[in-house]
Amino acid sequence: MHSISKGRRGRRALRAATFAASVVAGLGLVTACGDDTPPTINYLVDARISTYNPNTVSGNADGVLMAFARVLPGFSFLGASGQVIPDHDIGTASVVPGPSLTVRYDFNPKAVFSDGDAITCDDLLLSWAAQSGRFSDFAPATTAGYRDIANVDCTAGARTATVTFAKGRDYRDWLGLFGAGTLMPSHVVARQAGVADVVKPIQSNNRDVIAKLAKAWNTGFTLRPGAVDPKLLVSSGPYKVDSFTSEGGLVLTRNEKWWGDPASTDRVVVWSTSSPENFPGGFDVVDIADGTLAERDGKPVADQLRPANVKVADPRRALGVDEIVLSTSGVFANAVARHAFASCVPRDDLTRRFGASAQLWNLRFLSPADTLGSAINGEFGKRYQRADLPRTRQLAAQRPLKIRLAYRGRDSRNKAMVAAIAESCKQAGITVTDTASPTTTVGDLGRTVDGLVLTSGVSFAAAGANDSARTSYQLRGGDPLNIGDFRDPPTSAAIDQLAVTVNAEDRLRLARSIETAAWREMASIPLFATPRQQGLAPSVGSVVPSAARSGTGWNMDRWKVSKQ
């Protein structure tokens, strides 16, 4: 990304200086700076490191892009405010004149994976096939944008590809497609699948071979602490995976095959709040949702490790919203039951107690940082601002409700929130049980769980981007991002239209239509901007906290550390 670095370095320096001025010094650097140990930055995230592939359902929900944004770059990345920024180190994306949106992707001729294989249009073609929804064996997190592509012109091994969108489907956020984390190494997927390449079977629609490719793409990059296979976890960025162990965290080191500006620090170790047992004594960079730290030795980790200079980010620039996503099956198969539950959820009290100064938020995909969201937030959810127990009793009459609520286990804030909800609903005769565990996944919804506490309805970690097109698909029928399986054809049609609409007035009209339906059917219960704690040690520089789903790690390769 550094071929466009002159202006951006100035902007980064300004952002970093502004953030540094807003925090209090006090976070102890845990860098080993002996003669034999390279400088190291310890980075704490609330992502669960479960897979190397950020595009699967689990990879997206677990937020693994927070760790791999500079290990698996693409044609663009999400900046500090969630804006899409072209990444010219990978190549260029240029619009070609024509009746439909057509984009030519030219790969940097120097671009190679860490195993020496060239990065080519094969990788882009696989990314499209996996996320387009055309091939049912793939299990992507969403088809947003990719489903609108009519054709990908790719010759195997070529350094260029031409992507043509369907007529009338000029996806508004097209620059965000094929971005950081999306270009998985196709040659590795082909090898895992036992086939020669990915281009021929995709172009010829060879379903048998595509099924093998899909299996490798879906599950072949699963990560568990232990031995790391460098032939599997190949990198296309300035960092690569060196090791992954319970006691040592996820260790990223410089990729010697990287052709751009080398990473400023030799080594970054990523630690997850999901596995706090072997934490070091402190962290250099922190980006977690408030309250996600677990207990260790009978005491909250927050009391042991939270540094004084980690503060909750301004909720007005938040791109993620705490939301209770409801199943549309089981106890919540009827919308009346969903309304009964929503009526006993004390949204105002939850916001005051757990929102860290955020306002009550009534929208699902438009965030507080979105000017359109601010314009219409007050129009919705008025009947559900506070618990209405008489209404709950009325709606739940003749149907005693027993509701299983979950979140990713070891999250102290969500645990307290669910307890508060249970206490409120108990007074109206509804039983709410906390069924969270460290192994909770979004796939549990509708099976062993009736409601999940998530950020923006899609993630246990950082979520969102400046453009809300992708997030709106949490309400589109049939899209994998719609984990509650909410189905409303007019809403799906409105989301399809919103994705290709640029005019602000028309977007506002469509957003109103979508939210009206979501509240009418109670697809989910929005609460408030997810409070995120972010901070850095005084001896670490060029860290620019991000509000987007890629997290603060979006510019990890620019982080600098000084010896103490």
Side-chain angles (χ1 to χ4, degrees), residues 43 45 47 49 63-71 250 252 270 550 556:
Y43 175 36
V45 299
I49 312 301
V64 300
L65 187 60
M66 295 184 74
F68 297 128
R70 297 307 294 148
V71 176
L250 176 72
L252 307 179
V270 183
S550 51
M556 179 190 293

Side-chain angles (χ1 to χ4, degrees), residues 172 323 362-366 376 379-380 468-469 471-477 482 486 488-501 506-524:
R172 188 177 70 239
E323 186 177 341
N362 305 305
L363 308 176
R364 288 149 177 96
F365 65 92
L366 294 178
I376 64 173
E379 299 177 13
F380 297 94
S468 59
T471 307
S472 69
Y473 277 71
Q474 65 171 294
L475 295 169
R476 190 193 187 283
N482 182 353
F486 169 67
D488 183 62
T491 297
S492 296
I495 290 169
D496 285 342
Q497 189 60 38
L498 182 70
V500 297
T501 299
D506 290 336
R507 288 178 60 205
L508 205 60
R509 172 180 55 79
L510 290 165
R512 283 192 174 103
S513 171
I514 295 166
E515 284 294 348
T516 296
W519 277 105
R520 182 184 66 242
E521 299 298 324
M522 200 57 71
S524 61

Side-chain angles (χ1 to χ4, degrees), residues 166-524:
K167 186 177 181 180
R169 298 304 306 165
D170 294 1
Y171 185 63
R172 188 177 70 239
D173 191 29
W174 67 266
L175 189 58
L177 302 179
F178 306 111
T182 64
L183 300 178
M184 301 305 295
S186 61
H187 65 290
V188 172
V189 173
R191 185 171 65 238
Q192 292 280 97
V195 301
D197 74 290
V198 305
V199 175
K200 186 176 179 180
I202 291 173
Q203 291 180 337
S204 63
N205 196 22
N206 187 326
R207 293 288 173 162
D208 290 338
V209 176
I210 289 174
K212 295 178 181 178
L213 292 172
K215 182 178 179 181
W217 190 88
N218 294 340
T219 63
F221 294 101
T222 299
L223 283 177
R224 297 181 184 88
V228 166
D229 183 357
K231 293 181 180 180
L232 175 65
L233 307 184
V234 299
S235 165
S236 54
Y239 280 110
K240 65 179 181 180
V241 175
D242 180 76
S243 63
F244 182 38
T245 61
S246 296
E247 63 277 6
L250 176 72
V251 179
L252 307 179
T253 57
R254 283 182 178 141
N255 173 14
E256 61 274 10
K257 293 289 187 179
W258 174 247
W259 57 95
D261 292 346
S264 297
T265 298
D266 296 325
R267 194 169 177 267
V268 174
V269 182
V270 183
W271 301 89
S272 170
T273 56
S274 295
S275 304
E277 296 83 2
N278 296 291
F279 277 174
F283 301 97
D284 306 309
V285 181
V286 174
D287 190 349
I288 61 174
D290 186 34
T292 54
L293 288 171
E295 289 190 353
R296 185 172 67 173
D297 299 329
K299 297 180 180 180
V301 173
D303 294 345
Q304 302 176 54
L305 299 177
R306 182 180 296 169
N309 69 340
V310 174
K311 293 190 175 182
V312 177
D314 185 348
R316 293 171 298 181
R317 65 183 291 267
L319 297 173
V321 174
D322 266 24
E323 186 177 341
I324 305 173
V325 180
L326 306 179
S327 171
T328 52
S329 62
V331 69
F332 284 143
N334 191 303
V336 174
R338 301 196 292 273
H339 279 279
F341 173 60
S343 296
C344 68
V345 174
R347 295 174 67 232
D348 58 338
D349 183 55
L350 295 176
T351 301
R352 282 193 299 270
R353 292 175 59 188
F354 306 105
S357 80
Q359 63 174 314
L360 184 66
W361 198 251
N362 305 305
L363 308 176
R364 288 149 177 96
F365 65 92
L366 294 178
S367 70
D370 192 314
T371 53
L372 293 183
S374 299
I376 64 173
N377 181 55
E379 299 177 13
F380 297 94
K382 294 179 180 178
R383 192 169 192 175
Y384 300 91
Q385 288 189 7
R386 57 190 60 85
D388 185 344
L389 302 184
R391 186 166 187 265
T392 297
R393 295 187 190 97
Q394 178 186 6
L395 292 173
Q398 310 302 320
R399 57 173 76 193
L401 299 179
K402 295 184 178 180
I403 299 163
R404 300 162 298 178
L405 272 190
Y407 45 90
R408 190 169 65 189
R410 294 173 164 169
D411 187 317
S412 57
R413 179 172 62 88
N414 284 342
K415 181 178 181 179
M417 284 172 55
V418 170
I421 293 170
E423 181 61 30
S424 175
C425 293
K426 180 182 178 181
Q427 300 174 55
I430 290 181
T431 301
V432 175
T433 303
D434 184 332
T435 59
S437 81
T439 59
T440 296
T441 71
V442 292
D444 295 333
L445 189 62
R447 297 174 182 172
T448 59
V449 169
D450 304 306
L452 274 178
V453 181
L454 294 165
T455 297
S456 296
V458 299
S459 178
F460 294 111
N466 184 266
D467 193 299
S468 59
R470 183 181 188 271
T471 307
S472 69
Y473 277 71
Q474 65 171 294
L475 295 169
R476 190 193 187 283
D479 193 81
L481 213 59
N482 182 353
I483 62 173
D485 200 27
F486 169 67
R487 302 272 179 161
D488 183 62
T491 297
S492 296
I495 290 169
D496 285 342
Q497 189 60 38
L498 182 70
V500 297
T501 299
V502 177
N503 180 272
E505 186 174 328
D506 290 336
R507 288 178 60 205
L508 205 60
R509 172 180 55 79
L510 290 165
R512 283 192 174 103
S513 171
I514 295 166
E515 284 294 348
T516 296
W519 277 105
R520 182 184 66 242
E521 299 298 324
M522 200 57 71
S524 61

Side-chain angles (χ1 to χ4, degrees), residues 82-104:
Q83 75 277 31
V84 178
I85 301 174
D87 191 338
H88 292 169
D89 276 336
I90 296 299
T92 59
S94 309
V95 175
V96 178
S100 297
L101 175 63
T102 302
V103 183
R104 176 187 169 101

